Amino acid sequence: MKNIEAATYKVDSEIKLSDLNTREDLESSDKKLRKALESVRIELGEFQDTMYAHAKYSVLICLQGTDTAGKDSLIREVFKDFNARGVVVHSFKVPTELELKHDYIWRHYIALPAKGKFGVFNRTHYENVLVTRVHPEYILNEHIPGIHSLDDIDQSFWDKRFEQINNFERHIAENGTIIFKFFLHLSKEEQRQRLLRRLDLRKKNWKFSPSDLKERLIWDLYQKCYEDALNNTSKPHAPWFVIPSDNKKAARLIVASILHEELKKYKDIREPELDDKIKANLEEYKKQLENE
């Protein structure tokens, strides 16, 4: 199997999505990919147990991608061996009336993982420079001072949003949140095939929405907005990784392997030592229990 290295997928210089692969088979069979993922996710689950005991870090995983990119199934398969209490998933939809009464990052901030836990954002605060950039009329619902019409939403507005997002991520990183951002890079043809499967398979019909077809008509615009977001917000403390996602099994293994490789670098995350006094009396505590 091809070796997986995080650096291969990290955005550390300006990229063009059209130059990046959407398919990665890792020179392996589906069976071997599944086996490799099982091994990595067990180690990730064990790491989270240690991180919980250590209680000084949390991990935030941001997943972005077009419809059908495989976000839901990736979450299911990568975190299958975690303690259920150790990972919390948030799927962000259209902002509610309450959420629109706050700034756009508020609902994401209050959903951040507690120390010791993994948090997964299925769609993220980046929707505010993606969907809203493709459909700027949505910005008017936020009732921002100085924004009265679409004419007020210019390039400087989006530049400021990138800066705000960078500041938000820097703040939480400096306070113990380890951030990973994954863009699931899907080809337009693969999305077409997946949408057709949703229509062909009755049990998947519920996933289909006619709006998916409308959004496909502006595929290139979305790709440009994704590209701008990646180039403006991939930072050492909050890097983006572009994951080839036409092959779902390979994409899941790549994400899990990047998490494992990068988290191993945190050598200070380990189970805390017992107080010396408690440690010295372990045998006495054991005898008390045995003699009950």
Side-chain angles (χ1 to χ4, degrees):
M1 182 184 297
K2 182 179 177 181
N3 190 40
I4 298 171
E5 295 181 356
T8 303
Y9 307 96
K10 183 183 288 188
V11 177
D12 53 13
S13 60
E14 189 162 321
I15 56 101
K16 284 185 64 67
L17 285 175
S18 58
D19 293 337
L20 302 180
N21 293 333
T22 59
R23 172 169 291 276
E24 183 84 90
D25 295 320
L26 299 177
E27 300 171 4
S28 186
S29 66
D30 284 354
K31 183 177 180 180
K32 288 182 178 179
L33 291 172
R34 282 195 300 270
K35 285 290 185 182
L37 176 58
E38 288 172 10
S39 177
V40 176
R41 73 187 182 204
I42 288 172
E43 293 194 39
L44 285 173
E46 292 173 350
F47 175 88
Q48 189 276 318
D49 285 339
T50 302
M51 190 178 76
Y52 181 82
H54 185 248
K56 290 186 178 180
Y57 291 95
S58 59
V59 175
L60 174 64
I61 297 161
C62 299
L63 298 178
Q64 285 289 161
T66 60
D67 289 321
T68 78
K71 297 180 292 293
D72 292 333
S73 61
L74 185 148
I75 293 168
R76 182 188 68 235
E77 295 301 323
V78 169
F79 301 101
K80 188 176 287 185
D81 289 308
F82 274 56
N83 183 316
R85 293 180 296 179
V87 58
V88 181
V89 179
H90 292 274
S91 296
F92 292 99
K93 307 296 184 183
V94 175
T96 64
E97 182 179 351
L98 172 62
E99 290 166 346
L100 286 170
K101 289 181 178 179
H102 294 268
D103 69 272
Y104 67 95
I105 291 180
W106 175 78
R107 64 174 181 159
H108 305 284
Y109 192 90
I110 63 174
L112 289 172
K115 292 185 185 299
K117 293 192 176 185
F118 276 57
V120 183
F121 285 2
N122 182 354
R123 296 191 184 278
T124 72
H125 43 291
Y126 283 95
E127 293 292 291
N128 297 283
V129 289
L130 293 168
V131 172
T132 55
R133 195 169 181 192
V134 173
H135 300 285
E137 63 273 16
Y138 296 166
I139 293 292
L140 301 180
N141 296 327
E142 297 181 23
H143 304 295
I144 301 171
I147 303 298
H148 306 293
S149 69
L150 294 181
D151 292 336
D152 297 318
I153 306 172
D154 56 12
Q155 183 58 47
S156 65
F157 175 88
W158 299 113
D159 290 341
K160 186 176 292 185
R161 283 228 154 163
F162 289 138
E163 182 182 2
Q164 291 165 348
I165 288 173
N166 286 330
N167 289 338
F168 162 63
E169 292 175 348
R170 185 180 300 107
H171 168 69
I172 64 174
E174 289 174 352
N175 285 275
T177 300
I178 304 169
I179 305 170
F180 295 89
K181 301 180 298 194
F182 297 103
F183 172 62
L184 304 187
H185 190 25
L186 191 73
S187 68
K188 191 175 183 180
E189 174 57 21
E190 180 62 22
Q191 188 196 56
R192 187 178 76 88
Q193 294 298 330
R194 292 181 186 182
L195 288 172
L196 283 171
R197 281 196 290 275
R198 287 184 178 182
L199 293 170
D200 289 338
L201 299 174
R202 180 171 295 181
K203 67 179 182 179
K204 291 187 179 292
N205 284 171
W206 67 272
K207 289 186 173 184
F208 179 79
S209 170
S211 65
D212 295 336
L213 302 184
K214 291 182 180 179
E215 297 298 270
R216 274 179 65 79
L217 297 175
I218 46 176
W219 175 275
D220 291 343
L221 178 56
Y222 266 107
Q223 293 297 298
K224 178 64 168 62
C225 291
Y226 277 119
E227 196 173 277
D228 284 351
L230 297 173
N231 285 327
N232 280 282
T233 62
S234 191
K235 306 295 180 181
H237 60 271
W240 274 106
F241 297 88
V242 178
I243 310 300
S245 297
D246 284 4
N247 181 333
K248 284 187 177 183
K249 292 181 177 63
R252 296 165 189 162
L253 177 57
I254 292 169
V255 168
S257 298
I258 290 172
L259 291 172
H260 185 245
E261 177 185 337
E262 295 298 299
L263 290 171
K264 283 194 302 183
K265 296 176 181 178
Y266 288 82
K267 302 298 184 184
D268 59 324
I269 298 179
R270 52 182 177 271
E271 291 181 0
E273 291 286 335
L274 279 175
D275 180 88
D276 288 342
K277 186 175 180 180
I278 296 176
K279 190 185 298 184
N281 289 285
L282 287 180
E283 286 301 317
E284 178 59 30
Y285 301 140
K286 183 178 178 182
K287 285 179 183 178
Q288 289 181 30
L289 289 168
E290 291 174 341
N291 293 331
E292 282 187 4

